[in-house]
Amino acid sequence: MWQVARRPRWIGMLFVCLAVAAGFALLGQWQLSRGVETATVVERETETTVPLESIAEPASTISSSAAGQRVSTTGALVPGDGVVLEGRFNDGVEGFWVTGHALTESGVSIAVALGWVADRADAASALKDFTTSERDLTGRYVATEPPAEDDFEAGEQKSMSVAALINQWADAPASVYGGYLVLDDAPAGLDAIDSPVPSAEVTLNWLNVFYAIEWAVFAVFAVFLWFRLVRDEWEREQEDAELELN
């Protein structure tokens, strides 16, 4: 077949197909760049503290608009419901999170990440020093993490899973928020947990991306068309040669 492909006619046709493919590729690149240039950056005002009740509802998943929002509420920690999480990093250092169960003044429960500490013994000590008086709870409202079964099998717990924490609280709450609160001011003996500002969401213009993919397919098809035509020519010559022999 490649003897046919090396003929001047088909070499010329190859250059034509490659030129067409290059044109299609340039059009695809242009469409892709347009898709990026016209992308919409969704910026949210997350650093203005708002009441927790204004953006979240109990017994419902956290919405995208609520995730990462700074919120405040009033509540008290429930004694005996503190849980220590392992393998939590703070400014790049591995340590432990001390978490608690807060009951808001409206009677709704919320999991709270109280603070970070490098040593497990210090984390256990912090659990004993919980103050259960009602206080302002201000911090960042974050989506729950999925529970990790391996944690329980190894006798460890690493994920900040609201569902997993509820099972460890002394009494099942009547109503609970779907996310958890990363507290701004850590209790004595704990460091505040690093809670960065959520990154802005970027929404691409998917119509332009789809057109870019189409042009890429056309470019591949242009080269394939040349191959198919050469193969057809070769098969035709093979058939003619067999007929002459017969």
Side-chain angles (χ1 to χ4, degrees):
M1 187 185 77
W2 297 113
Q3 292 178 347
V4 176
R6 288 195 293 268
R7 294 171 184 170
R9 172 191 174 189
W10 292 110
I11 291 176
M13 184 64 71
L14 175 60
F15 282 122
V16 171
C17 290
L18 289 176
V20 172
F24 288 158
L26 289 174
L27 287 171
Q29 185 180 18
W30 175 75
Q31 287 286 1
L32 188 59
S33 63
R34 286 291 299 165
V36 174
E37 290 173 3
T38 58
T40 303
V41 179
V42 182
E43 295 183 354
R44 297 186 293 118
E45 178 50 64
T46 59
E47 301 313 289
T48 300
T49 303
V50 299
L52 173 63
E53 297 77 11
S54 68
I55 65 161
E57 294 183 3
S60 62
T61 56
I62 182 172
S63 65
S64 58
S65 60
Q69 177 66 49
R70 288 183 49 77
V71 298
S72 65
T73 188
T74 302
L77 292 173
V78 178
D81 283 352
V83 177
V84 175
L85 304 182
E86 300 187 14
R88 307 301 302 202
F89 287 84
N90 212 42
D91 291 330
V93 181
E94 186 175 4
F96 303 84
W97 273 14
V98 177
T99 72
H101 167 203
L103 189 64
T104 65
E105 59 182 358
S106 59
V108 182
S109 294
I110 184 170
V112 183
L114 297 165
W116 177 91
V117 68
D119 185 73
R120 173 179 277 281
D122 292 337
S125 176
L127 289 177
K128 299 176 182 178
D129 298 334
F130 274 175
T131 174
T132 58
S133 58
E134 192 170 88
R135 53 169 290 186
D136 289 332
L137 301 172
T138 301
R140 196 176 300 281
Y141 188 53
V142 183
T144 180
E145 298 174 0
E149 295 181 3
D150 293 343
D151 292 352
F152 298 103
E153 293 176 0
E156 303 173 350
Q157 187 171 350
K158 297 181 180 180
S159 61
M160 186 66 181
S161 167
V162 174
L165 291 174
I166 289 174
N167 291 330
Q168 295 173 269
W169 294 344
D171 298 314
S175 185
V176 63
Y177 286 107
Y180 66 91
L181 182 66
V182 179
L183 208 60
D184 278 350
D185 299 321
L190 300 176
D191 293 339
I193 295 172
D194 182 33
S195 182
V197 178
S199 57
E201 298 178 5
V202 179
T203 303
L204 290 175
N205 187 330
W206 288 106
L207 183 60
N208 288 107
V209 174
F210 176 74
Y211 287 152
I213 294 173
E214 278 192 332
W215 286 120
V217 172
F218 292 158
V220 173
F221 180 76
V223 178
F224 173 77
L225 179 62
W226 172 84
F227 172 81
R228 186 69 256 183
L229 291 173
V230 171
R231 185 175 181 84
D232 288 346
E233 179 71 13
W234 176 75
E235 289 178 348
R236 190 179 304 110
E237 291 182 0
Q238 291 294 106
E239 291 175 358
D240 291 343
E242 290 179 0
L243 289 174
E244 290 178 0
L245 290 175
N246 294 332

